[in-house]
Amino acid sequence: QVQVAESGGGSVQVGGSLRLSCVASGWTYTNFCMAWFRQAPGKEREGVAAIEPDGTTTYADSVKGRFTISQDNAKNTLYLQMDALKPDDTAMYYCAADTRTRIGTPLLRYEYNYWGQGTQVTVSS
């Protein structure tokens, strides 16, 4: 019954921006740890940004200062605002959730039980 679905991906040029959205169904974001992950072809899935129910955020060093994770509880939607995009940001981006309210290592893949199917982000020179 619990489902998440990402959207907002696309193709942009270097330095451009995109905003990804993740809509939840059958649950509320306020009671879950949420995160964005990404996976490029031939590479492992890596954590990009995470947010806890109390609003605490965590970012991978590679995206600090460029990406912003947030959520709109009224719309039950998680967002990832991506600015100053680089070719290295090209990947399939996934929305992830876990029932725990706190996660000590929020950017590790195995910490999350619920996943969306992904939305592709392509950044070209």
Side-chain angles (χ1 to χ4, degrees):
Q1 295 297 320
V2 177
Q3 296 181 332
V4 292
E6 308 94 335
S7 64
S11 298
V12 298
Q13 294 185 327
V14 171
S17 299
L18 283 173
R19 189 180 73 165
L20 306 183
S21 299
C22 174
V23 180
S25 176
W27 58 298
T28 58
Y29 279 63
T30 56
N31 296 322
F32 294 82
C33 288
M34 305 291 299
W36 287 98
F37 285 75
R38 66 186 182 187
Q39 185 169 23
K43 297 183 179 180
E44 296 183 354
R45 190 170 300 183
E46 63 175 346
V48 176
I51 187 167
E52 299 176 22
D54 66 358
T56 300
T57 57
T58 303
Y59 295 93
D61 289 339
S62 60
V63 305
K64 285 183 178 179
R66 299 188 300 118
F67 291 11
T68 303
I69 187 171
S70 63
Q71 58 183 269
D72 186 334
N73 293 330
K75 298 180 179 180
N76 207 29
T77 302
L78 180 74
Y79 300 101
L80 182 67
Q81 178 65 44
M82 305 185 295
D83 298 317
L85 285 164
K86 306 174 181 179
D88 287 347
D89 295 320
T90 296
M92 183 73 75
Y93 283 71
Y94 298 90
C95 177
D98 191 82
T99 55
R100 290 173 291 170
T101 57
R102 296 185 65 185
I103 298 177
T105 53
L107 297 183
L108 295 182
R109 182 181 184 278
Y110 61 75
E111 296 283 10
Y112 299 88
N113 292 319
Y114 301 97
W115 296 84
Q117 62 183 7
T119 184
Q120 179 67 39
V121 171
T122 301
V123 184
S124 60
S125 301

